[in-house]
Amino acid sequence: MANATDLSALEQQIAAGFPLRDLCLTEGNYRGANLSGARFERVHARGACFAGANLDHTHWKDCQLEGADFSHSTGQAFTMEACFLSGVRLCAAAWKKAYWQHCQGAGLDLTGATLQKWHLHDCHLPGLLLADADLRKTLWSACVLEGLQGPCAQLSEVRMTDCRLAQSSFAAARLVQCAFDGSDLNGADFERVHAASISLYQCVGAQLRFADAVLEEAIFSQARFEQANFSRAMLNMAVLAQAHMPDANFAQAQLRYADCTAFSAPRASFVGADVTGLNAHAADFSHANWAQANLQDIQPPDTERLAAEQWPNPPRQGVAP
């Protein structure tokens, strides 16, 4: 194997302004290097150290970066395209305006990172570690992120749309104006999440966990969750219109003034739930358990509207709570 290019030679090539192609940087030490403006193509940098490096306006394409260390790196407007990133360390990195597409690799470690406008598209990055990370104004689309671990992370204006997030954990995270629309959340953990204006529109999955979460005004419209656990969750003014959640557990949850229009939750448990003002228009709560819930405080059905919506079909049986 060729020896890794040393830091001095690398900086000279960057200063020359030409693309850096087919370089060997494997296990090289480039700690604190100024890589600003560099374009790397087909570079081999497995196990290299770029800790504390300046990544401003760098472009990485078709690079082998497995096991590289980018911890404490900084960067604005840098791009990664079709790179291999398994085991890359990005702990405490601080970036603005990063764009990655068609990248792959398991177990990226972004613990404690601060990232703004980090856009991912069509990336395969299972096991992403985001514990205590701070992500803002970020868009991830059509990505495989199964097993993502983001306990205690802070996410603001983050959109993860049409992503695969099975078995991911956001336990005790703070989610502000975040959207997971159209994503696969099978087995995901949202326990003790504190969310404001969160959207899970058309999400799917089974055995999701939302126990003790704050999800007021959350949007679950057209979501399809089987055996989801919302026990003790705060779902006041949440929107569950046209969602399908058979066997869901809402025991001791707060559903004050929640919009459950055409909500399907057969065999669900509402034991001890607060359903004051809940809108159950055209909802299916067949065989649900309402023990110790204040069922009498649900909004009365609009029979005329229901009759109009069902005409000329006959009314369904056993769908009212």
Side-chain angles (χ1 to χ4, degrees), residues 15-274:
F18 296 108
L20 307 178
R21 297 190 176 102
D22 303 305
L23 284 182
C24 177
L25 306 179
T26 300
E27 297 185 358
N29 184 2
Y30 310 102
R31 181 181 298 273
N34 181 10
L35 306 178
S36 179
R39 182 181 180 89
F40 298 93
E41 297 181 10
R42 301 186 303 273
V43 165
H44 294 262
R46 295 184 181 93
C49 178
F50 299 99
N54 177 3
L55 305 176
D56 285 355
H57 301 281
T58 58
H59 185 96
W60 306 71
K61 183 177 181 181
D62 298 317
C63 295
Q64 306 284 337
L65 299 169
E66 294 95 328
D69 185 1
F70 288 86
S71 297
H72 299 278
S73 61
T74 59
Q76 294 193 55
F78 83 94
T79 303
M80 284 198 178
E81 181 179 355
C83 292
F84 294 88
L85 304 168
S86 289
V88 168
R89 287 175 50 81
L90 297 149
C91 302
W95 309 334
K96 295 180 180 178
K97 297 182 180 178
Y99 180 67
W100 295 11
Q101 64 176 342
H102 313 312
C103 293
Q104 59 181 295
L108 274 72
D109 189 351
L110 287 122
T111 300
T114 302
L115 312 174
Q116 294 186 37
K117 299 183 179 179
W118 178 32
H119 298 337
L120 299 179
H121 176 68
D122 189 29
C123 290
H124 191 287
L125 303 172
L128 192 67
L129 302 178
L130 289 174
D132 299 308
D134 186 347
L135 274 64
R136 300 174 185 272
K137 298 182 178 180
T138 288
L139 173 62
W140 298 352
S141 60
C143 292
V144 176
L145 303 168
E146 294 168 338
L148 180 152
Q149 299 297 308
C152 302
Q154 297 192 51
L155 279 61
S156 178
E157 299 181 62
V158 173
R159 294 181 59 85
M160 302 183 188
T161 57
D162 300 312
C163 291
R164 290 166 56 183
L165 288 156
Q167 308 303 324
S168 293
S169 174
F170 297 91
R174 290 186 62 87
L175 310 176
V176 178
Q177 296 183 2
C178 294
F180 298 82
D181 297 350
S183 292
D184 177 358
L185 299 173
N186 193 56
D189 181 3
F190 289 86
E191 291 188 349
R192 305 183 312 283
V193 157
H194 193 287
S197 302
I198 185 176
S199 175
L200 294 97
Y201 173 72
Q202 291 189 337
C203 289
V204 298
Q207 298 182 334
L208 283 82
R209 303 188 296 281
F210 296 94
D212 301 299
V214 177
L215 298 162
E216 295 185 314
E217 301 184 21
I219 296 172
F220 293 91
S221 300
Q222 299 182 31
R224 300 183 67 85
F225 297 155
E226 296 185 11
Q227 298 180 323
N229 182 9
F230 291 90
S231 57
R232 301 176 303 280
M234 295 180 65
L235 290 155
N236 299 326
M237 300 182 70
V239 179
L240 296 102
Q242 300 180 334
H244 180 63
M245 298 186 187
D247 304 296
N249 181 8
F250 292 95
Q252 299 180 18
Q254 295 187 34
L255 288 151
R256 296 171 65 88
Y257 303 99
D259 181 1
C260 294
T261 301
F263 178 39
S264 175
R267 303 176 302 280
S269 172
F270 294 89
V271 173
D274 183 354

